[in-house]
Amino acid sequence: MKVDKMKAQEIQMAWIIWQYSERQHEGRNALEDMHERMILKMFSKWMTDQQMDCALDLMRRLPPQQIEKNLSDLIDLVPSLCEDLLSSVDQPLKIAKDKDMGKDYLLCDYNRDGDSYRSPWSNTYDPPLEDGSMPSERLRKLEIDANHAFDQYREMYFEGGVSSVYLWDLDHGFAGVILIKKAGDGSKKIKGCWDSIHVVEVQEKTSGRSAHYKLTSTAMLWLQTNKPGSGTMNLGGSLTRQVESDASVSEASPHIANIGRMVEEMENKIRNTLNEIYFGKTKDIVNGLRSIQPLANQQQQDALRQDLALAFLRRQAKGDSN
Amino acid sequence: MKGDKMAADSDEPISDQEKVRIVTNFILHSPPGEFNEVFNDVRVLLNNDSLLKEGASSAFSQYNKDQLTPVKIEGSEHKVLITEHNDLGGGRFFDDRSRQTFRYDHLKKEASDYQSWTPDATVEQWRSAIESELTTYTMDHYKNGVCSVFGKSHQSGSTVMACIEDHQFQPNNYWNGRWRSQWCITLPQGSTPTELRGILKVQVHYYEDGNVQLVSSKDVKENLTSTSPAELAKEFVRQVETAESEYQCAISENYQTMSDTTFKALRRQLPVTRAKIDWNKIVSYSVGKELRSQ
């Protein structure tokens, strides 16, 4: 997104603002004031949208190894974007302990209220809040079940780690986030960590017998090592994918099962893509920057290969014409 | 998390000086080939062009020097690298190879205003011997690589700085990468070269539907035994080739281990059952649900 790609109406808006700011303040009537306030409000919203686009673009380019610091600096730079940034920029998940239940849970913007976080196990805020945002009673029941279901999912695919599910009400349905964090054991002197953030939006059809599901999934993968041969090597970041589908809702196919299938399929796909990008693509790029074999050798090999291919084709053509 | 910091800061906006520090830091961390995009983002976020110009313009030149930016110059078929080692101040840089100095525009990334230049005589025979061997080495291992060798002398002796840079920018495919080597040969006063130090850096950025980066660097230290420029040039290139190849091999080995071991241990491809999950079973085992008859 570039500043010089402003649309014509936006340029006009900017010019109108400039005009107004140049005018004297005496002799203006109430209607003109109201008009100006409206225009300033529109301009302000447009500016915020542009800044949000740039902030998100920046977070796609700065080294993901410093996400937390970059996000913090970004919010300091443009405080008006704070809430929007916190809810749209994925950060590596932090773990907290639910002292009442003796179980770990994960922190994100969706279970945060002010400076407190709600545990999915005890359903209370830490530090305690008098008036913290809570899911409705019906939703809390679903949330408890979802946590238990994804606890099993986590165990089957991750064989360890921590998971948490948080739900919140929407007008015609509900939304939720499924979080998983798994840290490696540091064997072979390589530190690894996986974070999953799945945000699902469920629009229930009025009949209650089907629903529309929209899933946005981000998987973060962090790998680092500090061995003498390779110095410091830090390979990290995230990939994001989206999918939408409809499914029938019944006792045999409840929401959790529908969501579970979507999440499982999505995570399996992202896992494969992470494998290709991290250990295939980026490695190929490195080896394209420098060649261990002298390039002259390579060129000779390529030339030889081409000669052989041509000779083979000629022989085939000859064979065909016989 | 940021929520905690918010309460502490209340509604105090930060100072212009702080803003400049943040913006400068962002600019300096632009991935290879993406300076313009980061600059545009930062410009809109700061929303104060005069503050940007007066406070952050040193960041533009710092970034180009950090990245060992190659630039085409007149009067030479070889590009020269913009580095801290050939910075004359006032926006001018020198090139020992083509015996010139020039003005470099850090935003346009162009050279102009050429003047003649005499390389440091004390160290010139060592420098030019190394440059000749290193140029051959660079063409042998880097498809579009550029190398620059600079000589400087001081009271205690001389140094020869040798830099190699190669990059691949493919923004249409959402990726960019750069290799940087910096080698320093110390020649103490009245003595033969003693020490070779190197810093090797690789950075790769992949950003299709995500943000994945490889950031790696290695420090190298070796001893030198040659007594003549010709001998040193050959010894130098041998050491460089060995060190750089070892580094590249070690990176490849790490990739293998990361993929075979570390990644597999984080998340399985499929559960132990070798089949996807039966979600109806999972849901029916959840606490709080009535047991269903099969």
Side-chain angles (χ1 to χ4, degrees):
Chain A
M1 195 238 62
K2 303 247 185 326
V3 172
D4 48 27
K5 278 192 182 149
M6 291 196 281
K7 292 171 273 196
Q9 59 177 167
E10 287 160 343
I11 295 172
Q12 191 170 44
M13 227 191 311
W15 190 65
I16 290 170
I17 299 297
W18 180 82
Q19 270 195 310
Y20 272 106
S21 69
E22 291 289 305
R23 275 173 46 160
Q24 304 294 325
H25 279 257
E26 290 125 33
R28 270 204 333 202
N29 61 34
L31 187 61
E32 286 170 328
D33 274 343
M34 192 178 79
H35 195 196
E36 174 179 314
R37 269 202 296 278
M38 202 174 75
I39 289 192
L40 284 170
K41 203 166 166 194
M42 282 161 71
F43 182 76
S44 171
K45 163 134 201 338
W46 171 76
M47 192 64 200
T48 304
D49 288 346
Q50 301 284 43
Q51 289 187 314
M52 193 60 189
D53 280 347
C54 287
L56 294 178
D57 186 71
L58 197 56
M59 290 308 290
R60 276 257 302 263
R61 299 185 189 273
L62 295 173
Q65 288 81 357
Q66 281 99 45
I67 286 182
E68 284 146 314
K69 179 172 194 303
N70 292 335
L71 186 56
S72 174
D73 280 348
L74 202 43
I75 291 174
D76 279 346
L77 191 61
V78 199
S80 57
L81 297 180
C82 181
E83 287 300 323
D84 283 338
L85 282 173
L86 284 178
S87 62
S88 33
V89 176
D90 296 312
Q91 293 188 70
L93 302 168
K94 289 214 164 49
I95 303 179
K97 190 153 209 120
D98 183 330
K99 296 186 196 89
D100 296 332
M101 311 288 273
K103 239 184 138 165
D104 285 336
Y105 63 102
L106 295 168
L107 309 182
C108 71
D109 206 49
Y110 298 108
N111 66 324
R112 176 180 74 83
D113 192 337
D115 295 326
S116 296
Y117 292 90
R118 180 173 66 90
S119 155
W121 315 121
S122 63
N123 198 26
T124 55
Y125 275 90
D126 178 27
L129 279 182
E130 256 186 39
D131 219 354
S133 155
M134 302 290 248
S136 61
E137 210 184 293
R138 145 193 123 113
L139 203 59
R140 172 60 189 158
K141 284 209 182 84
L142 191 60
E143 192 182 78
I144 292 172
D145 289 345
N147 271 286
H148 284 124
F150 280 99
D151 210 27
Q152 294 174 68
Y153 169 84
R154 180 199 42 74
E155 194 54 42
M156 289 175 77
Y157 274 98
F158 292 84
E159 298 176 322
V162 181
S163 60
S164 299
V165 181
Y166 304 106
L167 304 180
W168 58 96
D169 292 280
L170 294 178
D171 284 336
H172 300 288
F174 64 94
V177 65
I178 297 128
L179 306 172
I180 302 175
K181 188 179 188 79
K182 168 85 184 286
D185 61 4
S187 67
K188 308 261 171 117
K189 299 216 178 110
I190 300 182
K191 280 203 289 207
C193 188
W194 173 301
D195 293 286
S196 277
I197 301 167
H198 301 279
V199 180
V200 65
E201 197 183 291
V202 182
Q203 295 291 352
E204 291 172 300
K205 303 288 162 70
T206 36
S207 65
R209 274 179 281 143
S210 79
H212 182 77
Y213 301 89
K214 185 164 160 195
L215 177 65
T216 304
S217 299
T218 297
M220 304 182 136
L221 177 62
W222 312 98
L223 301 155
Q224 57 193 87
T225 178
N226 208 327
K227 294 193 262 185
S230 53
T232 60
M233 185 172 162
N234 197 322
L235 179 57
S238 66
L239 295 176
T240 300
R241 294 280 184 281
Q242 249 185 5
V243 75
E244 284 186 61
S245 81
D246 292 296
S248 58
V249 185
S250 64
E251 246 199 48
S253 179
H255 282 307
I256 294 179
N258 294 338
I259 295 171
R261 272 181 221 114
M262 272 181 97
V263 166
E264 178 180 23
E265 174 116 10
M266 176 66 106
E267 228 183 47
N268 284 343
K269 275 207 185 104
I270 294 188
R271 186 199 182 278
N272 286 341
T273 310
L274 283 169
N275 192 32
E276 276 166 33
I277 300 301
Y278 275 63
F279 313 116
K281 189 67 192 171
T282 69
K283 184 174 89 166
D284 289 345
I285 295 171
V286 174
N287 290 326
L289 292 171
R290 182 183 184 279
S291 169
I292 295 182
Q293 293 303 321
L295 287 170
N297 286 8
Q298 200 123 59
Q299 282 155 13
Q300 270 176 11
Q301 275 180 10
D302 288 344
L304 181 59
R305 212 176 288 127
Q306 263 188 327
D307 285 345
L308 283 172
L310 273 169
F312 182 71
L313 284 170
R314 262 185 237 117
R315 246 222 326 227
Q316 271 211 311
K318 228 170 144 190
D320 287 346
S321 64
N322 278 352
Chain B
M1 293 191 82
K2 184 56 196 176
D4 313 331
K5 193 164 185 260
M6 267 175 73
D9 288 349
S10 67
D11 293 313
E12 284 292 315
I14 58 173
S15 65
D16 277 354
Q17 199 184 32
E18 254 300 291
K19 288 187 181 173
V20 163
R21 184 199 65 79
I22 289 174
V23 156
T24 301
N25 185 59
F26 285 163
I27 288 172
L28 290 176
H29 282 89
S30 310
E34 297 174 44
F35 174 85
N36 287 350
E37 286 77 8
V38 170
F39 174 74
N40 276 320
D41 288 340
V42 142
R43 188 175 173 198
V44 171
L45 292 168
L46 184 64
N47 197 23
N48 186 339
D49 277 359
S50 56
L51 183 63
L52 182 63
K53 193 164 175 207
E54 78 182 49
S57 43
S58 65
F60 313 153
S61 102
Q62 188 61 49
Y63 177 79
N64 287 332
K65 290 190 291 186
D66 284 349
Q67 293 285 310
L68 304 188
T69 309
V71 61
K72 203 162 174 349
I73 53 170
E74 284 175 12
S76 176
E77 61 175 43
H78 293 272
K79 291 187 185 160
V80 63
L81 299 178
I82 298 296
T83 80
E84 59 181 304
H85 314 293
N86 60 331
D87 185 355
L88 289 168
R92 295 194 71 81
F93 291 81
F94 69 84
D95 178 25
D96 282 337
R97 190 201 295 263
S98 66
R99 286 163 159 68
Q100 291 180 99
T101 69
F102 55 89
R103 212 188 145 266
Y104 184 68
D105 184 323
H106 287 285
L107 284 180
K108 285 203 197 124
K109 311 256 200 289
E110 282 171 3
S112 64
D113 193 10
Y114 300 89
Q115 286 169 24
S116 72
W117 163 263
T118 314
D120 189 309
T122 321
V123 76
E124 178 56 11
Q125 42 168 356
W126 302 93
R127 189 209 67 78
S128 63
I130 287 169
E131 177 183 272
S132 173
E133 288 292 328
L134 191 66
T135 304
T136 308
Y137 165 80
T138 304
M139 296 203 298
D140 251 358
H141 292 271
Y142 298 87
K143 278 205 197 89
N144 301 305
V146 175
C147 79
S148 288
V149 185
F150 310 113
K152 274 192 187 143
S153 59
H154 2 256
Q155 270 188 349
S156 51
S158 323
T159 48
V160 174
M161 299 296 314
C163 303
I164 303 176
E165 182 274 347
D166 197 359
H167 65 265
Q168 277 280 306
F169 296 160
Q170 293 212 15
N172 290 338
N173 292 322
Y174 301 100
W175 63 261
N176 296 299
R178 175 170 259 150
W179 174 296
R180 286 169 285 167
S181 308
Q182 286 188 93
W183 292 97
C184 175
I185 299 140
T186 329
L187 298 102
Q189 180 77 280
S191 154
T192 54
T194 52
E195 195 183 65
L196 173 65
R197 281 177 178 267
I199 307 174
L200 310 174
K201 292 187 182 160
V202 182
Q203 188 176 359
V204 173
H205 180 209
Y206 176 89
Y207 51 108
E208 181 163 24
D209 295 325
N211 180 3
V212 176
Q213 295 203 24
L214 166 71
V215 179
S216 171
S217 85
K218 180 181 178 182
D219 291 333
V220 180
K221 197 166 114 173
E222 299 290 348
N223 289 324
L224 298 165
T225 57
S226 300
T227 49
S228 76
E231 202 194 333
L232 172 67
K234 291 212 164 4
E235 183 187 15
F236 169 69
V237 167
R238 261 198 318 272
Q239 298 271 34
V240 165
E241 171 159 14
T242 306
E244 291 185 352
S245 291
E246 194 180 289
Y247 176 50
Q248 196 177 345
C249 277
I251 288 179
S252 282
E253 272 169 33
N254 279 344
Y255 267 115
Q256 196 63 44
T257 311
M258 282 173 173
S259 154
D260 288 344
T261 308
T262 325
F263 182 58
K264 281 213 166 69
L266 286 176
R267 184 190 186 278
R268 306 178 58 98
Q269 243 179 335
L270 280 176
V272 193
T273 56
R274 292 209 214 140
K276 291 214 292 205
I277 287 177
D278 180 345
W279 281 93
N280 291 329
K281 260 214 193 110
I282 290 236
V283 171
S284 70
Y285 284 150
S286 294
V287 174
K289 273 228 145 42
E290 293 163 19
L291 286 172
R292 248 179 244 96
S293 48
Q294 286 302 316

